[in-house]
Amino acid sequence: MLISMWSLKGGQGTSTAAALAAICAAQERDRPVRLVDFGRDQPAILGTAEIADSGLARWARSDLSADALGRELVELTPNLSLLPKGTGPINGRRADELVEWLKQDGTTVVDMGTLGLGHNDDWQDGLEHKIMAASDQSILVTRACYLALRRTVSLPLRPSGVVLVAEAGRALTRSDCERAIGTPVVATLAIDPNIARAVDAGMLRTRVPKESARALSALVGDDLTPGRARDSAPDIGLD
């Protein structure tokens, strides 16, 4: 199963949600789980060292086969490994090879970070679109934020589900978010100081709060029927 997780605005909690999803998948499944980092935050979130000139960016600049990506993996637990981004840009030159590798047996969670999605004609040839379109679950991570939700209205590729990061004091509800995005909320993650403390201590991979694990169980569980990203955007606004 390939799960891509992304946001349209910074500060939504995408990288932490992706890390939690990968950890929960590794705890629930017997098959290997890979976490692929496009934003360079995962080594810090998971308390592992970032090795200079390694990872996905180095492979993308090379002519090595996709099998070489396995040598870039960093083992986090016996069932969970991380493919760090490394340094440098990642263009779409080897997008098809990368997507094929991501779809291999097991579970892969891709932290795609914040996407600056264009609306030009060549966007569908880009790396982000190809990964999202190939994903069994293409997951938008968002808070109930009016500005973030506004950006989804003209989105050229619809998510298959939403992880809603819930915080006190927001005027918009879960139902408001579902109507605006036109996609169901598959998990609601409450902002939890225990998560922040675990990240600060570099211990998130062994200290996942139970509430967060329960919230993400439907997203990473084997009983979830995979849903593809949808290309048609509903005519739904926020006014």
Side-chain angles (χ1 to χ4, degrees), residues 154-189:
S154 57
L155 188 64
L157 184 68
R158 308 306 299 174
S160 58
V162 176
V163 169
L164 180 63
V165 178
E167 56 186 332
R170 287 288 186 184
L172 298 176
T173 66
R174 172 178 174 146
S175 296
D176 292 330
C177 295
E178 290 181 326
R179 285 196 298 271
I181 301 168
T183 303
V185 171
V186 296
T188 300
L189 279 176

Side-chain angles (χ1 to χ4, degrees), residues 119-135:
H119 303 287
N120 49 12
D121 293 338
D122 61 355
W123 188 81
Q124 291 189 347
D125 295 326
L127 177 60
E128 293 92 347
H129 182 281
K130 289 186 176 182
I131 292 175
M132 293 161 67
S135 296

Side-chain angles (χ1 to χ4, degrees), residues 34-76:
R34 298 174 297 191
L35 174 60
V36 179
D37 183 17
F38 273 77
R40 292 194 65 186
D41 286 332
Q42 291 299 339
I45 289 172
L46 294 166
T48 187
E50 185 172 4
I51 303 173
D53 194 27
S54 66
L56 185 56
R58 180 171 69 174
W59 173 83
R61 294 191 300 268
S62 76
D63 292 320
L64 297 172
S65 71
D67 291 339
L69 285 167
R71 296 195 291 271
E72 303 288 345
L73 292 171
V74 178
E75 185 176 293
L76 301 174

Side-chain angles (χ1 to χ4, degrees), residues 66-185:
D67 291 339
L69 285 167
R71 296 195 291 271
E72 303 288 345
L73 292 171
V74 178
E75 185 176 293
L76 301 174
T77 70
N79 205 33
L80 175 63
S81 56
L82 168 68
L83 177 60
K85 178 184 178 184
T87 56
I90 302 173
N91 57 39
R93 180 177 72 93
R94 307 190 67 184
D96 293 336
E97 293 175 81
L98 178 58
V99 168
E100 185 176 350
W101 183 82
L102 294 172
K103 294 283 288 183
Q104 288 179 356
D105 290 343
T107 299
T108 301
V109 178
V110 183
D111 172 14
M112 299 181 69
T114 303
L115 301 183
L117 299 182
H119 303 287
N120 49 12
D121 293 338
D122 61 355
W123 188 81
Q124 291 189 347
D125 295 326
L127 177 60
E128 293 92 347
H129 182 281
K130 289 186 176 182
I131 292 175
M132 293 161 67
S135 296
D136 300 295
Q137 295 292 323
S138 176
I139 302 296
L140 170 66
V141 181
T142 186
R143 302 186 186 214
C145 168
Y146 176 79
L147 295 179
L149 295 177
R150 287 278 302 180
R151 299 184 185 186
T152 69
V153 175
S154 57
L155 188 64
L157 184 68
R158 308 306 299 174
S160 58
V162 176
V163 169
L164 180 63
V165 178
E167 56 186 332
R170 287 288 186 184
L172 298 176
T173 66
R174 172 178 174 146
S175 296
D176 292 330
C177 295
E178 290 181 326
R179 285 196 298 271
I181 301 168
T183 303
V185 171

